[in-house]
Amino acid sequence: MEKKSIREIVSTVFKALTLAMGVAVVVLSCMGSLDEQTAVTLLGIGLASAGVAMLEKR
């Protein structure tokens, strides 16, 4: 089993969070149980985590 560095794990977590926020907004919107303010907040969290993931140096 390959050991991963903390940076790789954190980068993966932020990428997964980005995907999860996008999927959550789509699913909750399709179910009709999401208001606009909550959707913008969730998408903002996803966008911020994507920015952090992209700022990581390789």
Side-chain angles (χ1 to χ4, degrees):
M1 187 170 157
E2 168 186 336
K3 286 191 173 183
K4 291 191 175 190
S5 71
I6 297 297
R7 281 184 179 225
E8 291 174 341
I9 293 170
V10 169
S11 178
T12 302
V13 167
F14 279 121
K15 290 175 186 175
L17 181 63
T18 300
L19 178 63
M21 289 297 112
V23 170
V25 168
V26 169
V27 169
L28 290 172
S29 179
C30 288
M31 291 173 51
S33 61
L34 184 67
D35 62 344
E36 293 84 13
Q37 185 176 4
T38 305
V40 170
T41 302
L42 291 174
L43 290 174
I45 293 169
L47 184 60
S49 65
V52 171
M54 285 185 211
L55 286 174
E56 291 289 323
K57 290 184 180 177
R58 294 204 170 222

